[in-house]
Amino acid sequence: TYGCAKNVLTVGSIQGIEGGYNSPSDVVLSTMSSWGPTDDGRIKPDVVANGVDVLSSIATNINAYEMYSGTSMATPNVSGSLILLQELYAQLNAGALLNGATVKALAIHTANEAGANQGPDYQMGWGVFDAERCASIISSNNSSSRIIEQTLLNGQTFTLNVVASGKG
């Protein structure tokens, strides 16, 4: 379905982590969060975020709030953060924006390990979304990290020589 389309970032719901993330065992999947794999074996969700007892505005009046839970709370947590990260990238790159595939890759590759299984899994994807780590990668682009978006046409190739720094 729509959650499995190319470059869609699917977000699962976890319970809030008191005191912040310290280790994979801190992360507890919420009971209402769905998980994969997809019919063709891809990992879903891609990342997880707090979706339990999130204070949310409601439509009854301009000062009304209620607590809600679910992926419908985890997803705006991530999508709102990604918009702010796009703004950061634009500020540092003369108004340019990252394409959707790059944004998804950035979210996945900076996620914190989650759950009992090492690496990506069908319950928590690549882990807990970490906006601060994403911002660090964007801010250090072309120094200690690289974000490269290329389009290759008609058999073109692209080569990038990389020397391991030992930093990750």
Side-chain angles (χ1 to χ4, degrees):
T1 64
Y2 55 87
C4 297
K6 184 179 184 297
N7 292 330
V8 167
L9 182 69
T10 306
V11 180
S13 173
I14 60 170
Q15 294 179 19
I17 303 171
E18 285 295 319
Y21 177 91
N22 290 305
S23 71
S25 62
D26 294 338
V27 185
V28 178
L29 192 68
S30 67
T31 58
M32 78 286 293
S33 189
S34 298
W35 41 284
T38 63
D39 289 342
D40 62 0
R42 287 176 291 141
I43 290 176
K44 291 293 175 179
D46 297 303
V47 293
V48 292
N50 182 16
V52 177
D53 294 333
V54 176
L55 185 63
S56 180
S57 57
I58 59 173
T60 56
N61 80 45
I62 62 170
N63 296 314
Y65 298 91
E66 286 189 17
M67 301 291 269
Y68 288 108
S69 297
T71 55
S72 295
M73 293 290 99
T75 299
N77 171 346
V78 173
S79 59
S81 298
L82 291 174
I83 291 295
L84 293 172
L85 291 164
Q86 279 281 33
E87 184 177 9
L88 172 63
Y89 186 84
Q91 288 173 353
L92 298 174
N93 294 279
L97 295 174
L98 296 165
N99 71 44
T102 305
V103 171
K104 180 178 180 178
L106 187 60
I108 287 172
H109 291 290
T110 57
N112 291 305
E113 181 64 42
N117 301 316
Q118 181 69 17
D121 62 58
Y122 297 123
Q123 290 184 316
M124 297 198 209
W126 275 261
V128 180
F129 174 73
D130 189 332
E132 185 176 6
R133 285 179 71 187
C134 289
S136 176
I137 296 294
I138 290 170
S139 297
S140 64
N141 191 23
N142 295 321
S143 59
S144 62
S145 63
R146 294 290 303 265
I147 298 172
I148 301 172
E149 296 179 319
Q150 291 285 115
T151 300
L152 302 177
L153 302 172
N154 302 322
Q156 290 177 306
T157 62
F158 173 79
T159 302
L160 176 65
N161 295 318
V162 177
V163 176
S165 67
K167 295 180 182 176

